[in-house]
Amino acid sequence: MWGQSAAVPKSLEVRNMFSYILRRLLLLIPLLLAISIVVFLMIHLIPGDPVQIMLGDKGTAEDAQRLRRELGFDQPLHIQYFKFLSNLLQGDLGRSIRNRNPVINEIGAAFPATIELTILSMIFASLIGIAAGIISAIKQYSLIDNLTMVGALLGISMPVFWVGMMLMLVFGSRLGWLPISGRISRMADLDVITNFYLLDSILTGNWAAFRSTFLHLILPAITLATIPVAMIARMTRSTTLEVLNQDYIRTARAKGLPEKVVILKHVLKNALIPVVTIIGLQFGSFLGGAVLTETVFARAGVGRLLINGILGRDFPVIQGAVIFIASFFVFINLIVDILYSYLDPRIHYS
């Protein structure tokens, strides 16, 4: 897929890029099909009967049989899957067993909260991780380097839910600096337009709502970014050390260029190419990490929607949420691959 060349005609490079994107999109079909099969089978083979959960203790055998027939659970498993796949190809993820709302609407209502949290976490992890990695590499074997690596090790080792609870205890309950649950204060009167509260507060000029939304995002964003910031810092340090030992860096220093210019112009650009992959992969995995984070901080996002679906054996919601997260992750990877050619001119598509 990838190749390196000294000079490739621009028109040929564009044509190769579109050909590469098309091939990758075609490869997504069997991948997403496999994901749908695995998700469907895992959900339907786990213990627990959603019909009994819906009816409770007062439901009769006749009620259970009638509801099972209405939901299609009386049909063979492969028939259920092909019906699910047929609806999926039409953009229909089914209806929630609990409230009978279309699953696509449930995900659409929850997605803005998750994407706000994901973007802020990614920005925090990228800025802190890259800065820490570069400084650690420049100050190799110093106290700063050792502290950074110890901090990265702790960040990777600590469970996300534990970090969230500690932040809530210290900065929420003890110090009272930041809110510990929800998306916005009940006192903030926000006119919802897009369901992206930060964007809506800007569009309506409601800066009190903007401040409240941002404050509610800080603790969840730090919690979600804990592991990614550690991974980005370690990767940035490793690639920066590798670039610092290259001949062209020694040549730049021999020419008398200021150290700041050497780092920012020559080291940073080349060191960040592998880091982009880590950031892209982590951005996709943020949706998976949001499951725990949104549950801990009681945020109404896709992660919490998935947890509620699991607890209620709501098969359509679970299937829809997992397939949505998996599809998002796959498309983010594709975007990261495309960005490679812009970061490194030596890379071209073939």
Side-chain angles (χ1 to χ4, degrees):
M1 293 291 184
W2 296 105
Q4 292 192 353
S5 174
V8 178
K10 189 67 176 178
S11 59
L12 179 60
E13 178 67 17
V14 172
R15 187 162 59 250
N16 288 340
M17 182 183 70
F18 280 111
S19 176
Y20 172 77
I21 294 174
L22 180 60
R23 289 197 302 270
R24 285 293 303 269
L25 289 174
L26 291 176
L27 287 174
L28 293 184
I29 297 175
L31 177 60
L32 293 176
L33 180 63
I35 291 173
S36 69
I37 294 174
V38 172
V39 171
F40 183 86
L41 291 178
M42 288 183 64
I43 291 173
H44 282 74
L45 294 179
I46 59 177
D49 187 355
V51 172
Q52 293 297 331
I53 294 176
M54 293 175 64
L55 294 176
D57 297 332
K58 297 182 180 180
T60 64
E62 290 76 12
D63 293 334
Q65 185 177 2
R66 176 183 53 79
L67 184 57
R68 191 170 284 107
R69 185 170 55 253
E70 290 178 0
L71 297 175
F73 292 161
D74 59 330
Q75 298 177 345
L77 197 60
H78 67 280
I79 299 297
Q80 294 184 47
Y81 172 73
F82 284 120
K83 183 178 180 181
F84 162 73
L85 183 61
S86 174
N87 293 333
L88 180 63
L89 294 176
Q90 301 176 50
D92 182 7
L93 294 175
R95 290 182 175 271
S96 169
I97 294 176
R98 291 180 295 113
N99 54 29
R100 304 305 298 162
N101 290 332
V103 173
I104 192 68
N105 292 348
E106 296 270 305
I107 295 176
F111 180 67
T114 300
I115 202 65
E116 281 183 339
L117 175 59
T118 299
I119 291 175
L120 188 61
S121 299
M122 183 191 67
I123 293 173
F124 174 79
S126 301
L127 293 179
I128 302 299
I130 291 174
I134 292 175
I135 294 173
S136 180
I138 295 173
K139 305 291 185 180
Q140 188 180 17
Y141 303 131
S142 66
L143 179 61
I144 295 177
D145 183 24
N146 293 332
L147 290 176
T148 301
M149 289 302 97
V150 170
L153 180 61
L154 290 175
I156 294 176
S157 304
M158 292 185 297
V160 171
F161 67 88
W162 183 84
V163 174
M165 289 188 291
M166 291 300 102
L167 291 176
M168 292 170 65
L169 177 63
V170 175
F171 296 101
S173 300
R174 294 286 177 84
L175 299 177
W177 291 354
L178 295 167
I180 61 175
S181 64
R183 291 185 65 190
I184 192 172
S185 171
R186 294 181 180 180
M187 302 298 293
D189 186 16
L190 176 63
D191 294 327
V192 178
I193 302 174
T194 65
N195 213 26
F196 290 91
Y197 285 4
L198 287 176
L199 177 60
D200 290 342
S201 58
I202 293 174
L203 293 176
T204 58
N206 191 338
W207 301 113
F210 181 89
R211 180 178 181 274
S212 176
T213 303
F214 186 77
L215 291 177
H216 278 78
L217 276 168
I218 292 177
L219 291 183
I222 294 175
T223 301
L224 188 56
T226 302
I227 294 178
V229 74
M231 297 181 65
I232 292 172
R234 295 181 65 174
M235 175 61 74
T236 304
R237 178 184 183 273
S238 176
T239 56
T240 302
L241 287 174
E242 183 179 349
V243 173
L244 284 172
N245 292 323
Q246 298 298 316
D247 290 338
Y248 63 86
I249 299 299
R250 286 191 284 269
T251 301
R253 285 171 171 166
K255 289 180 179 180
L257 292 177
E259 188 66 14
K260 181 185 295 185
V261 175
V262 173
I263 297 298
L264 295 179
K265 186 176 181 180
H266 298 283
V267 175
L268 187 60
K269 181 179 179 180
N270 294 286
L272 286 184
I273 294 175
V275 177
V276 169
T277 303
I278 296 296
I279 295 176
L281 292 175
Q282 290 301 317
F283 185 76
S285 65
F286 274 135
L287 287 175
V291 173
L292 285 176
T293 305
E294 290 178 344
T295 302
V296 171
F297 289 93
R299 291 181 56 84
V302 175
R304 194 176 179 194
L305 176 68
L306 178 59
I307 289 293
N308 291 336
I310 293 173
L311 294 177
R313 295 295 191 274
D314 197 337
F315 292 170
V317 169
I318 302 173
Q319 291 170 168
V322 172
I323 289 175
F324 174 80
I325 292 173
S327 303
F328 190 86
F329 184 85
V330 169
F331 281 106
I332 287 295
N333 288 347
L334 175 61
I335 294 173
V336 170
D337 284 348
I338 296 172
L339 288 176
Y340 256 71
S341 64
Y342 293 97
L343 292 173
D344 191 347
R346 298 171 300 174
I347 297 176
H348 68 90
Y349 303 93
S350 58

